Amino acid sequence: MAKSPQKKSSAPASGNAVTADLVAVLVAVTDGTPKIVTIAGGSALPSGPFEFTHRSLQTALRAWVEAQTGHPLGYVEQLYTFADRGRSGDAKSPHSVSISYLGLTREDRVGEGFEAHWSGWYDYFPWEDHRAGAPSSLAKIIAPKLKAWAKAAPSPTLQRERWQRCAITFGLEDRDWNEELVLQRYELLWEASLIPEANHSRGREASVVPGKPMTADHRRILATGIARLRAKIKYRPVVFELMPAEFTLLQLQRSVEALAGRLVHKQNFRRLIEQQELVEETGAMAADTVGRPAKLFRFRHAVLAERAVAGTKLPLSRT
Amino acid sequence: MAKSPQKKSSAPASGNAVTADLVAVLVAVTDGTPKIVTIAGGSALPSGPFEFTHRSLQTALRAWVEAQTGHPLGYVEQLYTFADRGRSGDAKSPHSVSISYLGLTREDRVGEGFEAHWSGWYDYFPWEDHRAGAPSSLAKIIAPKLKAWAKAAPSPTLQRERWQRCAITFGLEDRDWNEELVLQRYELLWEASLIPEANHSRGREASVVPGKPMTADHRRILATGIARLRAKIKYRPVVFELMPAEFTLLQLQRSVEALAGRLVHKQNFRRLIEQQELVEETGAMAADTVGRPAKLFRFRHAVLAERAVAGTKLPLSRT
DNA sequence: CATCTTATGCTCACGGAGAGTATAAATGGC
DNA sequence: GCCATTTATACTCTCCGTGAGCATAAGATG
């Protein structure tokens, strides 16, 4: 640490200028479908430049999201910062830094008349929805292609290691599936050249996996967001940001299941929600429903003060 | 999302140029003391510019850290990206973006003769070391000052809420202390103006809390790093990056305790480590030791392949 | 009224985690 | 050589969280 500029003040804005963009993964859940805001016909995540007028990164994000959708974001959280070599491939063009954020809203809070629209997130990651069991494309398409990729490794040992990695990451061969490994699965598919974005403009479109592609690394950012959210709902009461003011416990459960991509044991779910006092009854009952009517609940905002910091748990069963 | 430049290609490097710096929290543990690399007499974290020659952020970080310390980093992980308004306070000066990383090494792998040196991380956060019980400064200094701050709130309700937040965050009044809330505690102290960095050059140095300050927001970045590491050691085998090639189980335990800032139940610790097959015996025994000699172990690097993805657990007892 | 669907209450069994007891193996002092 | 001290290591016990299933209630529909 001898020579280089260690203190910020010693090298102000010299040769290391870059451009900074904010990229947003804006999530909502509408009757059992997790959705994200997309632009350009669903091929990109909304993004905007980080400009001088913004006081902080989060301020910047909130500002342009609210300006463009007409409604405020609830929970906002930074995801990850990516750096790309100059876009045109020109070595002299500046670096670009993309700072990605996860934001939670509700679909009905976003205005009409914008280029943006909602897309189901499983359109981009069909292999991530295990609510009706492992998706058929997993066994039919993905697993065989991964197996072929594993077999293509130079040595038998490496072949075994590759396949083991695939099996663990995707929950193949009777292993249990871990819903949080969204990013690892995406990167594994990328490594196996099964993601169209990875094929560096060579025309081998045939050997890819189902799922809508996106511009640049936007699908990777989305994977990061899904993974983060799936992890977070287990210990923080963030699902409620995605719920309407009043809801039944089943609706809440369906939202959690939609995000997690897997089913939950109903009675245990209710037990956990209630014993943690996350919700309170409104007194009203749900209307327009088949079966026995359910009580309506609302989120107890008080818990944010009581336990802003402590934990919350959601049960995600394994079967 | 109508008018503003959503697609990256539509506004290349227009008015949103910023400077990007990488800031590193480089951690080692030497006989029971967690240490970090600091510069400028311990008042700053090492940082370097993100330049054109670097292929990625992590590459850039590894490059200059290895160049400056003479040894490779093991585990590296991105922490958080901060944005500061132009340093000089001049509104026209460019934004600066600081991308912070957590890196794990060992003290003996870092060369001599650099400006950098090692500082104990509890020098900066004395209230974070609960290994010998809650530090005395907590009850004697911090709690009273926080109580005073809570009392200063405008309404009784707000006063109660503030104090409740303090009590939860710091584990006061017989609550149990959560070692992961490093950042929350720091920010609470900041909010209560008990952190010198927060006093905007007004001379109220008297009412601050013990602990060495740092330049700019470097102490906040360090807090982020400590928090991340404390969370991570519980489910990923990252401690081993900080251990020598061979070690006893007690040494391993001491390292975990040093990082976590709290003690661990010895027998349960060993049970967990062994049943997870994280280590294997070397066959040799520890020398130069009081008491019954202990077996030496080494990390089973194979688990990284087996469970790169799955979990690992460390017991952190509550008493 | 039978049936279907959803809501809601209760019980049970397993396993993991926290904590304690007991014994073994070394050292150093007398 | 004996004893106190220190650390290592093996077991045991209990509690509780969690997954899972059973049973019943309360509506709608034909």
Side-chain angles (χ1 to χ4, degrees), chain A residues 250 266-267 270 290-292 295:
Chain A
L250 186 60
K266 190 177 195 170
Q267 292 91 329
R270 305 166 82 94
V290 261
R292 173 173 168 180
K295 290 179 191 162

Side-chain angles (χ1 to χ4, degrees), chain B residues 20-51:
Chain B
D21 283 299
L22 295 168
V23 184
V25 178
L26 302 175
V27 180
V29 180
T30 306
D31 39 59
T33 307
K35 300 185 177 179
I36 51 162
V37 173
T38 54
I39 59 166
S43 70
L45 294 171
S47 68
F50 178 51
E51 283 169 341

Side-chain angles (χ1 to χ4, degrees), chain A residues 225-300:
Chain A
I226 296 175
R228 182 74 63 87
L229 188 49
R230 282 185 171 179
K232 206 108 190 181
I233 49 171
K234 289 183 194 159
Y235 60 95
R236 279 298 159 78
V238 288
V239 218
F240 299 100
E241 301 285 350
L242 302 163
M243 301 298 296
E246 303 192 350
F247 48 84
T248 69
L249 292 183
L250 186 60
Q251 286 167 352
L252 182 65
Q253 182 183 343
R254 293 291 177 234
S255 293
V256 169
E257 290 174 336
L259 299 173
R262 71 185 333 172
L263 298 181
V264 152
H265 183 105
K266 190 177 195 170
Q267 292 91 329
N268 292 346
F269 180 79
R270 305 166 82 94
R271 174 173 65 189
L272 225 47
I273 296 294
E274 285 178 330
Q275 88 185 10
Q276 289 180 123
E277 302 179 304
L278 292 173
V279 297
E280 62 191 2
E281 300 183 11
T282 66
M285 305 289 278
D288 298 339
T289 167
V290 261
R292 173 173 168 180
K295 290 179 191 162
L296 283 174
F297 291 84
R298 76 171 68 88
F299 177 54
R300 278 188 62 238

Side-chain angles (χ1 to χ4, degrees), chain A residues 120-142:
Chain A
W121 81 20
Y122 293 122
D123 294 351
Y124 303 92
F125 297 98
W127 59 86
E128 291 294 346
D129 188 358
H130 283 229
R131 282 176 292 177
S136 61
S137 65
L138 234 186
K140 282 189 201 154
I141 304 174
I142 298 180

Side-chain angles (χ1 to χ4, degrees), chain A residues 116-182:
Chain A
H117 60 270
W118 292 99
S119 310
W121 81 20
Y122 293 122
D123 294 351
Y124 303 92
F125 297 98
W127 59 86
E128 291 294 346
D129 188 358
H130 283 229
R131 282 176 292 177
S136 61
S137 65
L138 234 186
K140 282 189 201 154
I141 304 174
I142 298 180
K145 284 182 192 289
L146 284 174
K147 200 148 210 165
W149 172 70
K151 278 245 173 70
S155 84
T157 313
L158 286 175
Q159 290 173 19
R160 228 175 304 113
E161 281 178 5
R162 268 194 188 177
W163 177 245
Q164 190 189 26
R165 221 178 112 212
C166 295
I168 291 175
T169 312
F170 281 87
L172 305 175
E173 295 178 339
D174 292 317
R175 281 166 222 257
D176 43 342
W177 179 72
N178 183 341
E179 75 278 356
E180 292 187 25
L181 305 181
V182 188

